[in-house]
Amino acid sequence: SAINFLERLCLTWMFFFMMCVAERTYKQRFLFAKLFSHITSARKARKYEIPHFRLKKVENIKIWLSLRSYLKRRGPQRSVDVVVSSIFLLALSIAFICCAQVLKGHKTFLNAAYNWEFLIWEAALLLFLLRLASLGSETNKKYSSISVLLTEQINLYLKMEKKPNKKEQLSLVNNVLKLSTKLLKELDTPFRLYGLTMNPLIYNITRVVILSAVSGVISDLLGFNIRV
């Protein structure tokens, strides 16, 4: 019993240590994204003591895109994504086990000690996933930067009216901003769940499982079969 307890304690510590490392990485990503979003704002750049430049030249747009790409790749990527995917998969597996145990006998579910252990693990994993999902969602919002590009386009249109002699040059910059907006939409990975980068296989399995569960619940409520 003592050896079994020590093994569980060590495995639990190792697993939660990896989750803490993943959370720290997500916090660093959010900090980089937050500072990056302040680059084009003179007031915020002065407040946080970071460089400031406007996207009114093609060279500035090129630097801005290169900096965005560099910051998004900074730090561990694949290892953290594997940890997050493993946490999500483990939480999903424990949830299915608990649901099966409840359907088997809901009156005797809390009588077993291992069911209490499952519930504690599920609660802890869900707390970490909610924290990571919140950080990941905020980071994605900072890096989307679509509103920044649209604001710069409006500023360029206003400059065209004030300086018609530079209309050709400003039109070129405006076209580059439009292409950058389309590029940012294409570069965002589709395998995300509330800001968490997921393995494509796990993402597709989760999507199928969630849609099947929703379809089953709706079918039970309405009384006829619905395929989602």
Side-chain angles (χ1 to χ4, degrees), residues 148-179:
V148 175
L149 298 178
L150 294 177
T151 304
E152 294 294 338
Q153 290 183 33
I154 294 174
N155 293 332
L156 287 176
Y157 281 120
L158 296 177
K159 285 185 178 180
M160 288 180 189
E161 295 182 357
K162 293 182 179 179
K163 300 179 180 179
N165 56 331
K166 295 184 178 181
K167 187 175 182 179
E168 184 177 353
Q169 180 182 357
L170 295 176
S171 298
L172 175 62
V173 178
N174 186 43
N175 293 332
V176 175
L177 284 175
K178 290 181 180 179
L179 293 175

Side-chain angles (χ1 to χ4, degrees), residues 187-202:
L187 287 178
D188 289 336
T189 174
F191 302 111
R192 288 189 179 273
L193 190 66
Y194 294 105
L196 300 178
T197 304
M198 305 294 295
N199 182 279
L201 179 61
I202 297 177

Side-chain angles (χ1 to χ4, degrees), residues 5 15 114 125 144 179 194 222:
F5 175 76
F15 197 80
Y114 59 85
L125 293 176
S144 61
L179 293 175
Y194 294 105
L222 298 180

Side-chain angles (χ1 to χ4, degrees), residues 32-65:
F32 293 150
K34 180 181 178 181
L35 295 177
F36 174 76
S37 64
H38 296 338
I39 287 179
T40 54
S41 174
R43 180 179 58 83
K44 293 180 179 180
R46 193 183 311 111
K47 178 182 178 181
Y48 291 95
E49 298 181 353
I50 56 177
H52 163 68
F53 56 88
R54 300 292 300 274
L55 303 180
K56 57 183 180 180
K57 296 181 180 179
V58 178
E59 292 79 6
N60 293 355
I61 300 174
K62 181 180 178 181
I63 295 173
W64 185 80
L65 291 174

